[in-house]
Amino acid sequence: MRINKKSVTAIAAAVGISVASSLATAANTIKIGTFLAVTGPASFLGDPELKTLQMYIDSINADGGIDGRKVELFHYDTGGKAKEAVKFAKRLIKKDRVDVIVGGSTSGSTMSVIPLAEKNHIPFISLAGSVKIIDPVKKWVFKTPHTDRMAAAKIFEDMKKRGISKVALISGNGGFGKSGRGQSLALAPNYGISVVADESYGKKDTDMTTQLTKIRNSNAEAILNFGFGSGPAIVTKNIRQLGIKLPLYQSHGVASKKYIELAGSAAEGVRLPAAALLVASSLSNSDPQKQVLLDYKNRFEAKHGSVSTFGGHAYDGLLMALQAIDRANSTDKKKVRAEIEKTANFIGTGGVFNMSPSNHLGLGLDAFKMLEIKNGNWTIVK
Amino acid sequence: MNRLRGPIILAAILVALPLLFPDNYFVTVVVTTAVLHAILAISLNLLMGYAGQISLGHAAFFGIGAYSSAILTTQHRLDPLLAIAAGMLITGTIAFLIARPILRLKGHYLAMATLGFGIIISIILVQAGHFTGGPDGLGDIPKLVIFGWAVESDFHWYIVMSTILILVVWLVNNLIDSRSGRALRALHGSEIAAEMMGINTTAVKSAIFVLSALIASFAGSLFAHQQSFISPDSFSFFFSIELVTMVVLGGLASTYGAIFGALVLTFLPELLVVFEDYEVMVFGAILMAMMIFMPQGLFVGFEKLAQRLYRKFFASQTIDKEQRDVA
Amino acid sequence: MFDQILQFLITGLTTGAIYALVALGFTIIYNASDVVNFAQGEFVMMGAMSTVFLAAGDNGLPTPLAATLSVVLVICVGIFLQRFAIAPARGASVVTTIIITIGASIFLRGLALVVWGKDIHGMTPFSGETPIHIGQATLLPQNIWVMGGTAVMVLAVHYFFHYTMQGKAILACSYNRDAASLMGINVGLMMMVAYGLSALLGAMAGILVAPISFTSYDAGVMLGLKGFSAAILGGMGNPMGAVVGGLLLGLIESLSAGLISSGYKDAIGFIILLLVLFIRPSGLMGKRSSDRV
């Protein structure tokens, strides 16, 4: 092969240009940071969240990015530990210098990062449940999942409709279960409901018949279980084993097909509040969410298997952040924060969001649907 | 003079780092964490390395200190410095009360008892939500103010933690060289022999147990102010085991080994993030390999390796020389 | 009230039986090699997880075959652990071997995470799910499987150590390694047998309990910890102590959850364990140790 001088310079120039342009895009990328519980006890939250972020960022980049700018994801696994979350949030802020953080699978890890976001003035959209994240409102902190307070309210509303006034509470002793328990105890009196039993279990416990035997001997008219992971499925099976006929309510912590699969026939008749994502196809065509939900569900399931509402929270957070950046026409943190706060009529998987300076979640109680499990599938309680 | 050499070298390194890498995440954040871990590892090493008593519950003392500071400063508006002292008082009292019955146990029974103590404390932190905030943690811990100087940025904390590490090293070095330090080491060799020599082993062991807990409590208070938010998972038995791993990995009965172990175990996960899902597996494999091939710890291991290379190098030179001489 | 207590006892004995099997695994390895194997819980997890995956799907194996293959697999893991992690570190201090086995447990957990993923999995109960009623109390056929399976294995282990040449040879190694070697016992082989046996017990425990409690890649941590506690409670090194310790721990947890507080049941378990150790520093049935000078 003969190489002449001309072609060499041409190649050099081409390489030079491509290097320069890649540098230019690197400097110009929109940097999204995230820290999630991809492994550990809360991995069923963090895993679909990360997959969702990666999937959508890839497809946005394939479509040319936002205003011609590529989106780059920086992600770290916290294993569900608050201390790791703080460390990685610092890494995102100091080393990776991200423009916005969308992450924090668990309330504990979110709460521990809030002081950092506030101090460093970085917009932070949390994917965790606790109401404490946005109440009181923190300037730089937003969240997309429904709160545990909303879940408790939705459940008590339904109980009241059925004429239930005495409820037995059983909760996991992790952050989610404890926080849900607290909200339930606080809200119950507003609905004229009294809590007649208050039991808990460890997240790796293998059998809850002891706690449920105590509940059976109380005068409860329904059982409410706040928890996630294997706990709620074991509780469900144990209830049937003990022959307890009371209605069982679960929280949105079990809103994935996995729960039905694990609890099997024992899950029949269980009610829970959850986002419409689980029942997307049975929504009426006029429902504004239907298109978004089906689109997300189909894309996720085509690649990763059964959809859960948890990945949906990440979708909501990511798109909300990117749309805010798009509207702001910059990644200036102050402007982006202001735009996130102005989010109006954003149709996400969790509901239709309307943020405001006094509401950094922007979802109403109607964003929750009350579901019942029938024939191994979700149905909407009318 | 010899006693001061170590702390001076350490201080020189800690001063040089931020000068060489100003405003670097790995220095101001990761090294600061490593320094905190080093303080804890040194305190645990006092007990494990010098007094020969295993403890799988050290995170509990760290946690009691942290929560004492957090609760006293947020719920009772106590001055942070007073809260630190109060935390140490509380931790010291608890350590003193359990020291004698626990230290009567030996080997695996001692390991189990300390492990159990650690787990009991972390269950209380989770369950006593009224005081501790439960698993969601406690926030809004005020910043530390030392003589009018507010410790705020990561770099400030780097300075504070580093200073305290140097002081702790100096203190521990003095202790080990003192009369009671010699008693301590005798204890590690053989408790019965030490007893025969007229050393009150129970008293020495208890004193070390309490001192070790006090340092951990102090570190816990600092941690609470540094993070301004704490939750029980930072004080679980997993962290106790991590601390033991630092001490053993670095090399028992060596203060600098403990520092080295803390450094390695703090930086390793930072570097392993590139492995993503494989991270856990790789970490386990590295841990096993290091302990199998350097059972006396990395510090001693590297020293030996260096010696061997040194000897090899010089030995080959002498042979060369001999051969040349013969020729 | 009686029915309630009966229910607590059934629950306690089922959980306790699993603790007992894990504790027995700890004891066998401890007796053979003076090592406390913190990867014991991972044997339990791997037994259950590999059974689930071998039996999964339309082309899955029938459960008994899947379970057998899984047990063989876990035995191999146990032997590998001895051969490549414990044997090379012979003569290392107690804490060093503890860290090695902790490293092994992290490694095996990480491996399970990569191979089998992070999901929680259930397993079909061996003989259906129709509860059996005893008065107001109920138990599942699987509870009987767990308790019966544990009883059979405990007896088999007892027989092995007291009535077979191999079992006696392992005991000989634990009393005096060098003397055993001089008597013509292949010490290296016996170590592998001990680790394999311990792995077998762990895997069986995992397979028996998975239909009740489900399994996931990190299910071994808690069971390992509880098994270790049970072994210590009964007295480290005494196989019958391990069984008693396991059953007792299960009962304590269940009764304290039922009668005192479910939130503090684990704490109560550990407090009782500590109190036992304060009174009897070598556990309930452990040998009093005498110090060597």
Side-chain angles (χ1 to χ4, degrees), chain C residues 209-293:
Chain C
V209 80
I212 296 181
S213 66
F214 311 123
T215 186
S216 58
Y217 79 95
D218 58 352
V221 184
M222 247 332 164
L223 284 173
L225 184 66
K226 293 287 173 66
F228 176 52
S229 311
I232 290 283
L233 180 63
M236 201 73 187
N238 181 339
M240 284 309 118
V243 175
V244 171
L247 294 176
L248 215 53
L249 191 63
L251 286 173
I252 291 169
E253 282 181 8
S254 171
L255 287 173
S256 49
L259 302 174
I260 307 171
S261 152
S262 47
Y264 282 101
K265 70 178 169 55
D266 287 336
I268 295 169
F270 282 112
I271 288 171
I272 292 179
L273 174 60
L274 283 184
L275 290 178
V276 168
L277 289 182
F278 290 168
I279 298 162
R280 294 183 62 92
S282 312
L284 290 173
M285 299 165 74
K287 275 175 272 179
R288 301 225 161 203
S289 70
S290 55
D291 278 324
R292 252 183 302 196
V293 180

Side-chain angles (χ1 to χ4, degrees), chain A residues 47-68:
Chain A
D47 192 53
E49 284 163 358
L50 178 62
K51 283 173 177 161
T52 301
L53 293 179
Q54 286 171 329
M55 192 171 81
Y56 274 87
I57 286 177
D58 284 350
S59 89
I60 287 166
N61 284 338
D63 294 344
I66 305 284
D67 290 341

Side-chain angles (χ1 to χ4, degrees), chain C residues 142-153:
Chain C
Q142 195 65 32
N143 292 60
I144 300 177
W145 271 103
V146 170
M147 289 187 257
T150 303
V152 169
M153 274 183 280

Side-chain angles (χ1 to χ4, degrees), chain C residues 7-281:
Chain C
Q7 188 69 53
F8 299 160
L9 293 179
I10 292 171
T11 308
L13 283 178
T14 311
T15 322
I18 295 301
Y19 295 168
L21 279 184
V22 182
L24 198 54
F26 269 104
T27 306
I28 291 170
I29 286 185
Y30 177 77
N31 275 346
S33 60
D34 263 342
V35 169
V36 173
N37 173 29
F38 279 99
Q40 191 68 30
E42 268 55 43
F43 293 158
V44 181
M45 174 274 291
M46 294 183 94
M49 286 294 271
S50 66
T51 307
V52 166
F53 274 86
L54 287 172
D58 297 331
N59 303 322
L61 304 170
T63 306
L65 186 61
T68 315
L69 280 179
S70 304
V71 172
V72 173
L73 175 87
V74 178
I75 291 175
C76 294
V77 172
I79 293 173
F80 262 69
L81 177 71
Q82 200 282 328
R83 207 61 209 86
F84 297 108
I86 305 294
R90 245 203 96 195
S93 69
V94 173
V95 279
T96 306
T97 54
I98 286 182
I99 305 291
I100 291 176
T101 59
I102 287 174
S105 83
I106 296 173
F107 173 76
L108 292 174
R109 214 178 308 145
L111 188 69
L113 170 80
V114 172
V115 177
W116 292 315
K118 296 162 209 158
D119 273 340
I120 303 168
H121 296 277
M123 199 192 284
T124 326
F126 303 165
S127 332
E129 289 186 274
T130 322
I132 301 160
H133 294 268
I134 308 173
Q136 277 270 335
T138 54
L139 77 167
L140 293 172
Q142 195 65 32
N143 292 60
I144 300 177
W145 271 103
V146 170
M147 289 187 257
T150 303
V152 169
M153 274 183 280
V154 168
L155 290 176
V157 166
H158 184 81
Y159 176 82
F160 177 75
F161 279 113
H162 290 273
Y163 298 98
T164 66
M165 246 354 241
Q166 291 240 315
K168 287 183 184 171
I170 293 177
L171 281 183
C173 297
S174 76
Y175 293 135
N176 189 329
R177 209 184 167 100
D178 296 330
S181 176
L182 288 174
M183 300 296 287
I185 294 173
N186 184 342
V187 176
L189 180 69
M190 288 305 121
M191 287 298 131
M192 289 199 264
V193 172
Y195 276 73
L197 181 60
S198 175
L200 177 145
L201 292 175
M204 290 297 285
I207 295 166
L208 286 172
V209 80
I212 296 181
S213 66
F214 311 123
T215 186
S216 58
Y217 79 95
D218 58 352
V221 184
M222 247 332 164
L223 284 173
L225 184 66
K226 293 287 173 66
F228 176 52
S229 311
I232 290 283
L233 180 63
M236 201 73 187
N238 181 339
M240 284 309 118
V243 175
V244 171
L247 294 176
L248 215 53
L249 191 63
L251 286 173
I252 291 169
E253 282 181 8
S254 171
L255 287 173
S256 49
L259 302 174
I260 307 171
S261 152
S262 47
Y264 282 101
K265 70 178 169 55
D266 287 336
I268 295 169
F270 282 112
I271 288 171
I272 292 179
L273 174 60
L274 283 184
L275 290 178
V276 168
L277 289 182
F278 290 168
I279 298 162
R280 294 183 62 92

Side-chain angles (χ1 to χ4, degrees), chain B residues 157-178:
Chain B
W157 275 107
Y158 176 87
I159 298 170
V160 171
M161 295 280 191
S162 300
T163 313
I164 287 163
L165 174 69
I166 292 161
L167 286 176
V168 168
V169 169
W170 177 76
L171 178 93
V172 168
N173 278 357
N174 274 308
L175 180 79
I176 293 162
D177 269 352
S178 70

Side-chain angles (χ1 to χ4, degrees), chain A residues 38-41 43-44 47 173 198-202 204-211 213-214 216-217 229-230 233-234 237-238 240-243 258 261-263 265, chain C residues 4 7-8 11 15 113 118-122 125 129 131 136-140 143 209 211-214 216-219 222-223 254 257-260 262-263 265-266:
Chain A
V38 183
T39 57
S43 64
F44 73 101
D47 192 53
N173 66 7
D198 178 16
E199 296 294 323
S200 75
Y201 55 83
K204 283 287 162 202
D205 279 5
T206 53
D207 194 315
M208 286 70 160
T209 42
T210 302
Q211 290 92 323
T213 304
K214 281 169 83 180
R216 184 174 63 184
N217 289 28
S230 58
I234 298 177
K237 286 188 105 173
N238 287 167
R240 300 303 171 230
Q241 175 200 335
L242 291 172
K258 198 78 213 170
E261 183 196 317
L262 290 176
S265 60
Chain C
Q4 219 173 331
Q7 188 69 53
F8 299 160
T11 308
T15 322
L113 170 80
K118 296 162 209 158
D119 273 340
I120 303 168
H121 296 277
E129 289 186 274
Q136 277 270 335
T138 54
L139 77 167
L140 293 172
N143 292 60
V209 80
I212 296 181
S213 66
F214 311 123
S216 58
Y217 79 95
D218 58 352
M222 247 332 164
L223 284 173
S254 171
L259 302 174
I260 307 171
S262 47
K265 70 178 169 55
D266 287 336

